[in-house]
Each structure stands twice: as structure tokens, then as C-alpha cells.
Amino acid sequence: MTNREIAREADPVSGERNPNLRLNADAHTLHRQAAELLDRLPVVPADPAPWRAVSGEEATARGPSLLLFRLADEWLALPASTIEEVAPMRGWHCVPGHRQRALLGLVNLRGALVPCLSLGELLGVQPAVHPQAIPSNTSNTLRMSTSRLLALRHGSHLSAFPVTEVHGTVTPAKTAMGSAPATTLGATDGFAIAVLRWREHVVGVLDPLRVGAAFDRSLA
């Protein structure tokens, strides 16, 4: 090292070495120690969008959304995408001369007359209380207050049917769905294609195509 280089490193007043050199040396030591520490830690890449990853996992593990409803004492479900509307219960107009028992009549939905059919008749379930003949007592009034009309879209057709109660939509895990045994309501006729264990109930998941086809046959 030349005398000029030594003079540049020394303090011009005290003759000591430049303090910046000591700071640089300390920083280098800390950097080396930090690097050694990081080398010992496991490398776990961070997910820049964890909410999207969770959403994707849930979409893979879960099936389509279902609308759960009760018909008399039986809990049933249809794909929510096939239900056009959940409407308050209302009366329907009978069709004179029609002999199909499943056809209850015509009901007004948003200004259009839509065939109103009995899903309970097709499945062999005691039908829900009809609004045309409800005794004026508290029990039946309460039961009537939970009744709804569901509008099912099947192909280019729209059909309504009364139910006793509507719970709402659920998106169950695929593992919660099972095949429909022969004892399931509607299984022998091909209406029920799966069962869902929901709370303490076993819910029959109906095939909307078969239900819609049965509705069409009831209109013939």
C-alpha cells in the first residue's frame, strides 16, 4: 500500500483509520451472519394470492349449489341453477276437463300464466296444503306461511310446483353426497339420483331433467 493510500484511510486530524471502514466491516459481518441463518431455514414459497388458492380448492372439493326444500315431511333438493324463482304461495286457476292429477292448474308468475303441478303427486308424497282449502286456524295458518312456489326451468319450459318450506341454497362437499338407495323417495322412478346428509336429515337430490320430463307428460 502506498503512502498516499494510507493517508486517505487515516483521519486527517487524529491519524486514526476512517470510521466508515469499520461500519462497512460490521455491515459485512451482519450480512454474512444473516445469510448463514437464512440458509438454515426451510424455503416455503409465499402464495401471492392465497384467497384464490383456497377458492380453487373449495371449488374442486365441492359440488354444485342445491336448493333445499321440504315437501310434507320429506326434504328434497334440486340444482339451484334450474330454479327460476322462489315465489310466495298463491292460488292457482283450475283447468276444466283436464284429467291429469299432477296438474293443479295455472298460476300467475310475473304476469305470465305458468302450469302449476304437484311434485308430491309424482313422488307419492302427501301434497302440501292447498291455498284454496285452508281452515282458518292458527296451526294451518302458520304452515301456510312457510309454503312457497318454486318455478323450475326445464328446457324452454317453466313449471311451478308448491312446497311446504324452503330452506335455501347449500353447496355441499362432494364427500357429503352419496348414491341414492332404493328406499330413497323417488329413487325407484329415477327422480332421485343422490342423497345428501344435511344436519339430521337425509335429503333426496332430484334429477331436474326427469322431473321436467314428468311435468311435460302431465301437461299432455
Side-chain angles (χ1 to χ4, degrees), residues 61-63 171-177 196:
R62 295 185 176 275
T171 307
K174 290 182 179 180
T175 55
M177 303 283 287
L196 166 66

Side-chain angles (χ1 to χ4, degrees), residues 2-175:
T2 64
N3 292 334
R4 182 176 298 176
E5 291 172 340
I6 294 175
R8 281 200 302 266
E9 292 180 1
D11 185 273
V13 177
S14 63
E16 296 180 354
R17 295 179 63 86
N18 192 330
N20 291 332
L21 294 177
R22 292 198 304 273
L23 292 176
N24 291 337
D26 293 341
H28 177 74
T29 302
L30 290 175
H31 179 75
R32 178 174 52 79
Q33 293 174 348
E36 293 175 353
L37 176 62
L38 291 176
D39 287 340
R40 293 196 299 268
L41 295 176
V43 178
V44 180
D47 187 351
W51 56 90
R52 287 203 296 268
V54 171
S55 177
E57 291 173 359
E58 289 183 352
T60 302
R62 295 185 176 275
S65 295
L66 301 173
L67 180 73
L68 269 59
F69 59 91
R70 182 168 59 88
L71 193 63
D73 295 327
E74 300 288 342
W75 281 98
L76 302 166
L78 278 164
S81 59
T82 63
I83 301 299
E84 189 84 3
E85 183 178 354
V86 178
M89 181 57 71
R90 64 198 63 179
W92 47 77
H93 307 282
C94 295
V95 179
H98 205 286
R99 297 182 179 180
Q100 289 284 1
R101 295 182 60 183
L103 179 62
L104 299 174
L106 300 176
V107 65
N108 190 321
L109 287 181
R110 298 187 180 182
L113 288 178
V114 174
C116 186
L117 299 110
S118 173
L119 180 62
E121 183 69 31
L122 297 177
L123 298 178
V125 180
Q126 183 68 27
V129 177
H130 291 184
Q132 287 92 340
I134 301 178
S136 58
N137 59 61
T138 305
S139 175
N140 282 299
T141 302
L142 178 61
R143 185 178 179 185
M144 179 59 191
S145 67
T146 66
S147 300
R148 296 290 184 269
L149 277 178
L150 300 185
L152 174 69
R153 172 68 64 181
H154 48 105
S156 59
H157 301 151
L158 190 66
S159 299
F161 59 97
V163 298
T164 310
E165 179 186 355
V166 173
H167 167 74
T169 58
V170 297
T171 307
K174 290 182 179 180
T175 55

